[in-house]
Amino acid sequence: MFLLISIILAALHSTVFTIISGSSFYEDKNDIYPAELAASLFCLQEGVFKNFHTTINPGPLPIFAEYEAQKRSDASFKYPIPKKDAEGDDYLHILMKFIEFIKPRKIFPTIYFTDGNLKNEYDRFDINERVIKKILEEACEYDVAAQLKIYPMNYLLYFLKFFVAKEKELKGDEEGTESFTSLESAEEEFQREQIEFEFFTVSLKMA
């Protein structure tokens, strides 16, 4: 067991993680109209070393959704609302750009959502997942969809903290680091960190 953990720890420092975040103009239980997709690559050795961002024109919105879409855009990403007579973006082209970003690794990396656990007026955790799935669906790339493994951010925090604790244990660090007791506790920590960050950001703007 200790040998296995040592091997994992040795590889963990150079393992590349992919974090994504998406936004939408409007969504309901049946459909979503994406506005953007962003992603970052990072590893423990180098930190964040590559970023990706693309805006998305989903095509005309339902008439009843235009007010909500404008309100959301004004409060957040500030992109123009899609025109009624304009065609939407080519989702296959967007997907190919995203795949080019996460390649040239031979296998698709595990992808984690960010922003997912804050309780906004709409669930960003759900939005992130639905944005990437909408792109895959519209691009008709079902083989790619089957290869992508997408998990909440608290999964990543849970396993990273577990292996950091094990690393300290192997090194005989008396202080050590406690692992999360569950995925739920990792989610609570993630929520707390995000709320503290937002409070700090607002405080800087008000200073």
Side-chain angles (χ1 to χ4, degrees):
M1 179 66 176
F2 283 112
L3 177 59
L4 176 60
I5 290 175
S6 298
I7 293 172
I8 293 173
L9 286 170
L12 189 61
H13 291 283
S14 58
T15 298
V16 176
F17 299 97
T18 305
I19 308 295
I20 68 168
S21 180
S23 299
S24 69
F25 287 105
Y26 178 79
E27 72 286 329
D28 56 32
K29 63 180 181 180
N30 298 315
D31 205 356
I32 187 168
Y33 298 83
E36 64 182 339
L37 176 67
S40 293
L41 302 181
F42 83 94
C43 67
L44 299 181
Q45 279 183 336
E46 301 179 45
V48 175
F49 61 89
K50 193 175 182 182
N51 293 305
F52 169 87
H53 180 264
T54 183
T55 56
I56 302 172
N57 179 355
L61 303 174
I63 295 176
F64 61 82
E66 291 179 356
Y67 173 79
E68 171 63 26
Q70 187 65 62
K71 179 181 173 183
R72 185 177 296 179
S73 177
D74 291 343
S76 180
F77 41 76
K78 294 180 171 52
Y79 300 144
I81 302 302
K83 295 180 180 179
K84 296 178 181 178
D85 56 349
E87 290 187 6
D89 285 337
D90 182 345
Y91 280 94
L92 180 59
H93 177 64
I94 292 172
L95 179 61
M96 290 303 102
K97 288 197 301 181
F98 179 67
I99 290 176
E100 184 180 350
F101 169 74
I102 61 178
K103 292 288 188 176
R105 281 165 286 166
K106 295 180 181 178
I107 60 173
F108 285 98
T110 300
I111 296 172
Y112 299 92
F113 296 129
T114 185
D115 292 334
N117 300 300
L118 289 179
K119 303 300 180 184
N120 294 328
E121 55 186 284
Y122 58 102
D123 187 350
R124 284 193 54 81
F125 190 68
D126 178 59
I127 300 302
N128 290 320
E129 183 176 18
R130 291 180 67 186
V131 165
I132 192 71
K133 286 186 175 180
K134 175 72 172 182
I135 293 171
L136 291 165
E137 177 186 319
E138 293 294 332
C140 298
E141 288 292 329
Y142 303 109
D143 290 340
V144 175
Q147 295 180 67
L148 287 177
K149 297 177 181 179
I150 308 176
Y151 297 101
M153 186 66 141
N154 54 304
Y155 277 54
L156 178 59
L157 295 178
Y158 178 87
F159 289 111
L160 283 179
K161 194 165 185 179
F162 170 81
F163 285 113
V164 167
K166 288 298 180 184
E167 182 176 37
K168 290 198 170 188
E169 182 181 315
L170 289 173
K171 291 179 178 179
D173 190 331
E174 294 183 1
E175 293 185 6
T177 298
E178 291 186 7
S179 301
F180 288 119
T181 55
S182 65
L183 287 171
E184 288 73 20
S185 63
E187 180 175 341
E188 289 172 3
E189 179 69 19
F190 186 47
Q191 279 188 0
R192 193 157 47 246
E193 291 292 336
Q194 282 198 310
I195 292 171
E196 287 177 1
F197 175 76
E198 289 202 346
F199 177 78
F200 177 71
T201 303
V202 170
S203 298
L204 284 179
K205 288 180 179 179
M206 293 177 65

